Amino acid sequence: MEVALKSVYRNLFLVLARQLYRLVNIVMGRTTSRSRMPHSDILDHIPSGKMTSQQLLKHCIDAQNNQPSLLKRSFHLLSGEAVGGAEGQDSNTIRVMQWNILADALSDGADNFIKCPGEALQWDTRRISCLREILTYDPDIVCLQEVDHFQDFFRVQLERVGYQGIFKPKPDSPCLDCIHNNGPDGCAVFFKPEKFTLAGSTCPVLEVADRGSIWPTNQVAVLLRLKCKSPAEHHGKEFLVGTTHLKAKSSWHKLRHLQGVNLLEILEKQAGGCPVILCGDFNAEPTEDVYKAFEASKMALDSAYKCLSEDGNSEPSYTTWKIRPAGEVCHTIDYVWFSRNQLQPVKVLQLPSEEDVGKDRLPSYKYPSDHLSLVADFAFKT
């Protein structure tokens, strides 16, 4: 009953807010960022139908030839060497991307990125850049958060290059409170059916146990059990891969910890002893209890980026870097966890330097999200 009433009140508020928004802009004689869509027909010029990742990537680059190149990044290998691009992925590894892509509805309002040009925040600009970032590294598995264009964009575009995806919206997404929204945001996982068979999936709403009761929260997870088709030496091997997006804001550290405890219980049950790769925006730095809970897990989980850091024991200095009215925010809250007794990270995508990010930070014309993607290659331990 409470949820239904909230939905009614929200819809009434949004109708009134949109009318007032339009009226103010008419009186002020200005157009809004949502009404300016110079790139709205970009995808119409890209041939329809199936194509390779590299073919679609080229079309996206050509469509944005008047914009700065996206941030250039290289891979850091277990050996300490560095290589660039998607080339060089070993045939016996699994490449996984973790990325909070920044919800369209939040980018245009609630997140208030005061240093980012308005046009760079438009979805018709950002969607092509998001696609370019994914296709550049050609991951076998893509784990995304803050997805509010699953059906009308990511599913359509990624399926044409051979991915299959599963999406779980948040029960009460903050996007629904935005004047301009495309529905709720949530988590999504895409994988390549040519490499894996989907053996099972579950998309739980995370719960917390407190004071003898169990309460559902507004955070979700998407977990897929995949069976390897190739290469031959991995044929039939299974692993559990998934993503989540825990509660934001520093004051909610206890809730994040309880959500993490619930997620670990679900992971252990769903994995049944097979290897685990869990990606996500935890909204928690390594000093928080939820991070420590994952480190201490009975499944022997470890962080890929920590393992392949220079000292072998440090997370990156940042995975998100933005400027809002309250000030600059730079911290590490995104992770790629794995079962260290069964999997070995052999390569991770390095984070860009402060100079590369730029003085106005993220998002920007050079990068479509306030979070940087993480990419890791894993091999099965023998």
Side-chain angles (χ1 to χ4, degrees):
M1 183 65 177
E2 181 181 348
V3 173
L5 285 173
K6 185 175 181 180
S7 178
V8 171
Y9 292 144
R10 173 191 285 136
N11 290 336
L12 288 172
F13 168 77
L14 289 177
V15 168
L16 293 173
R18 288 185 183 117
Q19 293 299 328
L20 179 61
Y21 186 74
R22 293 190 186 103
L23 180 60
V24 168
N25 281 284
I26 290 171
V27 171
M28 297 296 292
R30 68 192 183 197
T31 57
T32 68
S33 63
R34 286 284 172 164
S35 64
R36 299 193 314 269
M37 297 193 292
H39 306 289
S40 59
D41 62 347
I42 284 178
L43 291 177
D44 293 338
H45 294 297
I46 297 177
S48 60
K50 301 291 185 181
M51 59 178 68
T52 67
S53 293
Q54 290 305 304
Q55 287 172 332
L56 183 54
L57 175 60
K58 184 179 184 304
H59 285 299
C60 291
I61 293 172
D62 291 344
Q64 291 188 323
N65 60 9
N66 63 335
Q67 292 187 26
S69 299
L70 296 186
L71 293 173
K72 301 294 185 184
R73 301 162 65 186
S74 59
F75 280 91
H76 178 80
L77 279 68
L78 182 61
S79 62
E81 300 175 8
V83 295
E87 297 80 7
Q89 181 186 357
D90 296 332
S91 60
N92 63 342
T93 62
I94 298 169
R95 175 165 292 181
V96 181
M97 172 181 275
Q98 149 59 27
W99 197 18
N100 179 329
I101 60 169
L102 176 58
D104 176 26
L106 298 180
S107 74
D108 192 54
D111 277 355
N112 205 0
F113 302 109
I114 59 175
K115 292 291 186 177
C116 183
E119 187 178 330
L121 288 173
Q122 290 182 33
W123 179 239
D124 290 290
T125 300
R126 291 183 54 238
R127 61 180 181 167
I128 306 300
S129 298
C130 287
L131 196 54
R132 284 178 62 181
E133 178 75 356
I134 294 170
L135 297 175
T136 293
Y137 303 107
D138 195 24
D140 301 315
I141 300 165
V142 187
C143 296
L144 304 176
Q145 303 87 46
E146 287 198 24
V147 179
D148 59 350
H149 283 277
F150 178 78
Q151 295 292 352
D152 65 330
F153 182 72
F154 285 103
R155 184 175 186 175
V156 173
Q157 297 304 323
L158 291 177
E159 280 188 353
R160 70 194 304 205
V161 295
Y163 287 94
Q164 178 180 333
I166 293 179
F167 171 71
K168 176 68 174 181
K170 294 176 183 175
D172 190 25
S173 165
C175 290
L176 298 175
D177 292 323
C178 297
I179 293 177
H180 300 288
N181 72 70
N182 193 59
D185 78 302
C187 295
V189 177
F190 290 89
F191 67 95
K192 293 182 177 179
E194 68 176 27
K195 291 195 172 186
F196 312 106
T197 299
L198 181 61
S201 66
T202 183
C203 299
V205 173
L206 300 182
E207 299 176 334
V208 299
D210 190 31
R211 300 177 185 178
S213 299
I214 296 177
W215 306 91
T217 71
N218 194 34
Q219 278 62 51
V220 300
V222 176
L223 307 175
L224 310 184
R225 191 179 181 101
L226 300 178
K227 181 180 293 187
C228 296
K229 291 182 178 179
S230 63
E233 58 265 34
H234 295 336
H235 184 78
K237 287 187 176 181
E238 293 190 14
F239 63 99
L240 186 71
V241 65
T243 190
T244 193
H245 186 188
L246 301 186
K247 176 66 179 175
K249 300 189 185 304
S250 58
S251 58
W252 290 98
H253 56 90
K254 181 180 179 181
L255 177 59
R256 280 191 291 274
H257 178 229
L258 294 175
Q259 288 176 334
V261 169
N262 178 232
L263 182 54
L264 285 168
E265 293 171 350
I266 295 170
L267 285 171
E268 185 175 6
K269 180 179 179 180
Q270 294 297 320
C274 76
V276 171
I277 301 173
L278 191 281
C279 303
D281 174 359
F282 277 52
N283 277 306
E285 298 198 53
T287 53
E288 278 202 27
D289 288 343
V290 65
Y291 182 97
K292 296 174 182 178
F294 270 72
E295 276 193 315
S297 162
K298 291 187 291 184
M299 292 177 286
L301 298 177
D302 212 338
S303 165
Y305 272 74
K306 186 186 74 172
C307 288
L308 293 191
S309 63
E310 289 188 6
D311 63 3
N313 197 40
S314 302
E315 294 289 355
S317 300
Y318 48 84
T319 62
T320 179
W321 201 342
K322 66 204 91 177
I323 300 175
R324 288 172 169 158
E328 192 163 345
V329 178
C330 175
H331 53 184
T332 299
I333 55 177
D334 305 273
Y335 307 100
V336 180
W337 296 95
F338 71 98
S339 301
R340 63 174 174 266
N341 294 334
Q342 297 157 296
L343 295 169
Q344 174 66 58
V346 297
K347 185 188 302 182
V348 293
L349 185 63
Q350 293 180 314
L351 279 299
S353 66
E354 178 179 356
E355 182 181 2
D356 288 337
V357 169
K359 64 181 178 62
D360 291 335
R361 310 314 185 199
L362 306 172
S364 67
Y365 278 116
K366 294 193 299 182
Y367 207 75
S369 176
D370 57 323
H371 289 250
L372 292 156
S373 67
L374 306 181
V375 181
D377 290 0
F378 292 98
F380 284 95
K381 286 186 174 181
T382 56

